Amino acid sequence: MSRVPSTGSTRRVTAAVVAQRAGVSAATVSLVVNGKAEGRVSAALVARVRAAVDELGYVVDQSASTLSSGSTRTIVMVAPDPSNPYYGSVISGVKEGLGAHYQLLLSITESGRQPDASDIRGIIGLRIAGLLVGAPSPRFLTDLPIPIPTVLVDSDGTDRSVPSVNLAAADGARALAEHLAMMGHKRVAYIDNETGSATFAARREAFWETAARIGLQVVEPAAYATVDTIDAAADAFRECWPAWRRSRATAVVCSTDTQAYGVLWEANALGVRIPDQLAVAGFDDLPYSRVSNPSLTTVALPGRELGREAARALRSLLEGADVSPRVRTLPAQLIERQSTAARF
């Protein structure tokens, strides 16, 4: 079929042209292409409009929408570390929560750095509809009051005047410390995220405080690695393992599952048997954690739900609805698997 009107005209395809081809009104076309047809337009008419859109190659004129409404339907998510596999699930949840009516764009901070005011100033000038900010720096809101609808994602400890959806990572860290103590461990090592964002600080501090309370010693030296690089965690483990072994550490806790994969890999290369000689645990519960060798004990953090609920909160703001509660925290769950199965 031709992708232009049957009259042979080369003029731009408009909603009116699509309406004429589908035999419906321009208003019906608008409802369908803007994702507002549910409950208003029959399935048969929706199918006719979509067929006409595909045939004619119609594209919604976003610039016209901007002029008429004062903003676009574009949502920007500022993310500090989208190369981390965990963020893939968060972004999928955001897209699901926003629905077809909004377009999602990602703004990536440099080298995994936490988003701050400098990352936002230029974005606001684009007349976007709303903003999602993942793991912002603690001074984010004090440095830059934001004049557009905004929801913070995984921002525990920041200003609670702005709606946010967070993770109970600290609860999971406490459960992990108690699990290791129950398995007989007395000394453990910890590999942290080198960026030091609030969400990683919360899980580290909760683990260390709980460890101190129940008699579980966190040995030196401290180790740091990027959250998304297996090689970096493997290097950190290889460098620190001699000292940790002299300190009689029998477990390594990693701030992400990706780091834990690096430890499993390097431990195997060094001939360290997991879990017989060393237990390993992480955070996130990535899909590979259940099939790694051995399967990985981890704190499950619901990334997809995190993104979905943050997007839904932002939609409520955009549609003038109340966001309640303003701050929501999603539960974490300790998943016990083979990598911590041996008793010490």
Side-chain angles (χ1 to χ4, degrees), residues 1 11 45 49 96 106 128 172 175 181 199 217 251 312:
M1 292 185 178
R11 59 185 165 85
L45 289 184
V49 170
E96 180 181 334
L106 296 179
I128 61 175
T199 182
Q217 180 186 352
R312 287 175 175 171

Side-chain angles (χ1 to χ4, degrees), residues 34-82:
N34 289 309
K36 298 180 179 181
E38 186 174 355
R40 301 181 180 182
V41 182
S42 70
L45 289 184
V46 169
R48 280 163 51 185
V49 170
R50 288 176 176 168
V53 166
D54 290 342
E55 177 186 347
L56 299 172
Y58 174 65
V59 177
V60 178
D61 187 350
Q62 295 289 355
S63 62
S65 298
T66 299
L67 291 173
S68 63
S69 65
S71 67
T72 67
R73 292 193 302 274
T74 300
I75 304 298
V76 171
M77 180 174 183
V78 183
D81 193 16

Side-chain angles (χ1 to χ4, degrees), residues 86 154 156 166-181 190 199-211 213-214 216 253-257 281-285 297-302 329-336 340:
Y86 181 74
D154 195 11
D156 194 25
N166 306 311
L167 297 165
D171 291 345
R174 296 183 189 100
L176 177 55
E178 291 167 354
H179 165 69
L180 292 175
Y190 196 96
T199 182
F200 290 100
R203 62 191 74 177
R204 177 187 66 246
E205 292 167 4
F207 183 87
W208 287 11
E209 289 170 1
T210 304
R213 176 174 54 80
I214 63 179
L216 189 63
V253 173
C254 303
S255 65
T256 69
D257 283 4
F283 285 79
D284 290 341
D285 193 27
T297 291
T298 183
V299 175
L301 301 174
T329 301
L330 304 181
Q333 180 184 6
L334 176 65
I335 308 296
E336 300 175 20
T340 61

Side-chain angles (χ1 to χ4, degrees), residues 195-262:
T195 63
S197 65
T199 182
F200 290 100
R203 62 191 74 177
R204 177 187 66 246
E205 292 167 4
F207 183 87
W208 287 11
E209 289 170 1
T210 304
R213 176 174 54 80
I214 63 179
L216 189 63
Q217 180 186 352
V218 181
V219 303
E220 298 290 343
Y224 300 89
T226 54
V227 299
D228 61 326
T229 305
I230 292 176
D231 288 344
D235 291 344
F237 176 74
R238 183 173 59 253
E239 180 179 346
C240 294
W241 174 237
W244 290 346
R245 182 172 52 191
R246 288 192 297 271
S247 298
R248 291 178 293 165
T250 56
V252 176
V253 173
C254 303
S255 65
T256 69
D257 283 4
T258 303
Q259 291 176 341
Y261 301 156

Side-chain angles (χ1 to χ4, degrees), residues 81-146:
D81 193 16
S83 57
N84 180 349
Y86 181 74
Y87 260 94
S89 63
V90 177
I91 292 168
S92 294
V94 168
K95 293 181 67 176
E96 180 181 334
L98 289 177
H101 182 62
Y102 294 98
Q103 179 183 28
L104 176 65
L105 299 180
L106 296 179
S107 176
I108 310 308
T109 58
E110 182 180 0
S111 301
R113 176 178 51 80
Q114 291 176 270
D116 58 27
S118 65
D119 299 305
I120 308 302
R121 290 190 178 96
I123 294 173
I124 293 175
L126 299 177
R127 300 175 71 183
I128 61 175
L131 188 64
L132 294 165
V133 184
S137 66
R139 290 186 51 83
F140 173 72
L141 292 174
T142 57
D143 288 344
L144 180 69
I146 300 177

Side-chain angles (χ1 to χ4, degrees), residues 158-171:
T158 57
D159 187 338
R160 296 191 169 228
S161 64
V162 175
S164 65
V165 182
N166 306 311
L167 297 165
D171 291 345

